Amino acid sequence: MTKETKIYQGTGRRKTSIARVRMTAGSGKITVNGRDVHEYFPYETLVMDLMQPLDATNTKDLYDIIVDVKGGGFQGQAGAIRLGITRCLLSIDSKTSTDSDDSYRKILKKEGFITRDARKKERKKPGLKKARRAPQFSKR
């Protein structure tokens, strides 16, 4: 009889990006859309950004992460993955009391990772060049 590995899932959203994150017990390998995370993201700062919840909870080398992300640019995708990883960690640690100091929820809440960043690009209005930018005024 084989031991069944538990898969934790979390969905993260940021701007127009949506990330579906799956975590299993493993060695710390992160795969984004079938490619290694360092190969997928062009800048190391984006990789550091999405790894912040793992660093805060000291779970960097405990889980393998598989991510399917679509929409938006690299910045939005990294933010969506970070929220997805955070939600996975919360589901992993759901049995621990939220009052204890070593609970993931308390650590992640303090760092501000649980809150979804709801800022999106404002829509363009008719008669304007952009959302708020009016055409240049000409007196004559």
Side-chain angles (χ1 to χ4, degrees), residues 2-89:
T2 59
K3 188 181 174 209
E4 193 177 307
T5 58
K6 183 93 169 105
I7 298 172
Y8 299 95
Q9 293 188 330
T11 304
R13 293 182 190 87
R14 172 80 171 95
K15 293 186 176 184
T16 57
S17 301
I18 300 170
R20 208 171 88 216
V21 180
R22 292 187 301 278
M23 289 177 83
T24 56
S27 59
K29 186 176 168 221
I30 301 176
T31 309
V32 180
N33 290 348
R35 291 160 55 188
D36 182 60
V37 70
H38 296 284
E39 186 184 314
Y40 185 81
F41 284 109
Y43 308 112
E44 194 60 35
T45 53
L46 295 175
V47 177
M48 286 169 38
D49 186 39
L50 68 89
M51 304 261 301
Q52 284 177 330
L54 299 170
D55 291 334
T57 55
N58 294 321
T59 53
K60 203 175 205 176
D61 299 326
L62 298 178
Y63 299 103
D64 285 340
I65 301 171
I66 299 166
V67 181
D68 294 321
V69 66
K70 59 184 172 215
F74 289 123
Q75 190 76 47
Q77 287 183 352
I81 293 169
R82 185 173 85 174
L83 182 61
I85 290 172
T86 299
R87 288 182 173 169
C88 284
L89 288 170

Side-chain angles (χ1 to χ4, degrees), residues 83-96:
L83 182 61
I85 290 172
T86 299
R87 288 182 173 169
C88 284
L89 288 170
L90 291 177
S91 65
I92 288 168
D93 200 45
S94 60
K95 291 174 181 63
T96 306

